[in-house]
Amino acid sequence: MIDLSAPATDVAPLLLGATIWHGPVAVRLTEVEAYTGLDDPASHAFRGPTPRARVMFGPPSHVYVYLSYGMHRCVNLVCSPDGVASAVLLRGGRVIAGEEDARLRRGGVPENRLACGPGNMGSALGATLEESGDPVELIDPDATSTSGWRLQPADHPVEFRQGPRVGISRNVDAPWRWWIPEDPTVSGPRK
């Protein structure tokens, strides 16, 4: 199982190949970014537990959903012990269940673009701002639960690359982005 009480920089690479479920939609993760809180100027938690970022301060195993550019709902998994802010942004993945629901939310985009990019990921999963702070159930591969947020670890380790995060203007050199190389659902530069 994945220990979400560890720091986001430790958790993030372990999420590659894992599956995030929300209702009937499941996305196998191919790209993630870590945000560490008070020591990370790019993090929403950098200025402390503001109304927007208080969820990032714990407890772990919850979702942090925020609005980007006034329209995109982005999904993060809260990590670290209660009281310590960190989260992993879910940047990209492949829809592996509930494709019909994801398509209704995303329109006529190609399959590999349904959950490509953090805003598209949130849309494909049907995330809402009201769900920010909801618990994430860690499930094994044989679980049958169909409600709420669920995280299913990968059944085997995956090869990945690591580099700087994308789309930020502060702390840009921190190598806290991980992705599966050559996967067409990865949203950012694949250097």
Side-chain angles (χ1 to χ4, degrees), residues 8-116:
T9 51
D10 293 342
V11 172
L14 301 176
L15 291 174
L16 293 173
T19 302
I20 186 75
W21 289 81
H22 186 233
V25 178
V27 177
R28 181 158 296 127
L29 301 173
T30 60
E31 181 185 11
V32 296
E33 287 181 346
Y35 290 86
T36 62
L38 296 173
D39 61 343
D40 180 4
S43 173
H44 292 165
F46 181 65
R47 299 190 191 285
T50 63
R52 178 185 192 187
R54 73 180 184 285
V55 172
M56 285 183 68
F57 285 84
S61 299
H62 287 74
V63 291
Y64 166 47
V65 182
Y66 68 89
L67 199 60
S68 177
Y69 298 110
M71 64 180 146
H72 303 293
R73 295 170 316 273
C74 300
V75 179
N76 298 256
L77 296 177
V78 176
C79 305
S80 293
D82 195 2
V84 178
S86 81
V88 177
L89 173 64
L90 309 182
R91 281 198 60 87
R94 177 173 305 284
V95 176
I96 60 169
E99 186 176 324
E100 187 173 309
D101 289 323
R103 282 197 178 284
L104 285 172
R105 296 172 181 141
R106 291 279 295 123
V109 300
E111 179 184 339
N112 67 337
R113 306 307 287 176
L114 285 173
C116 179

Side-chain angles (χ1 to χ4, degrees), residues 9 12-17 29-34 91 157-165 174-183 186 188-191:
T9 51
L14 301 176
L15 291 174
L16 293 173
L29 301 173
T30 60
E31 181 185 11
V32 296
E33 287 181 346
R91 281 198 60 87
V158 298
E159 179 186 346
F160 61 85
R161 300 284 183 269
Q162 180 179 356
R165 296 173 291 190
W176 294 341
R177 178 175 158 261
W178 292 262
W179 68 95
I180 296 175
E182 309 306 321
D183 193 293
V186 172
R190 298 179 182 104
K191 296 179 184 175

Side-chain angles (χ1 to χ4, degrees), residues 80-173:
S80 293
D82 195 2
V84 178
S86 81
V88 177
L89 173 64
L90 309 182
R91 281 198 60 87
R94 177 173 305 284
V95 176
I96 60 169
E99 186 176 324
E100 187 173 309
D101 289 323
R103 282 197 178 284
L104 285 172
R105 296 172 181 141
R106 291 279 295 123
V109 300
E111 179 184 339
N112 67 337
R113 306 307 287 176
L114 285 173
C116 179
N120 297 333
M121 170 80 68
S123 182
L125 287 167
T128 67
L129 295 176
E130 294 74 27
E131 292 172 305
S132 191
D134 281 3
V136 176
E137 179 185 2
L138 298 173
I139 60 174
D140 62 45
D142 301 320
T144 59
S145 172
T146 60
S147 62
W149 292 93
R150 285 115 44 225
L151 178 64
Q152 196 169 25
D155 55 7
H156 63 281
V158 298
E159 179 186 346
F160 61 85
R161 300 284 183 269
Q162 180 179 356
R165 296 173 291 190
V166 295
I168 58 172
S169 59
R170 289 180 261 162
N171 204 13
V172 296
D173 294 328

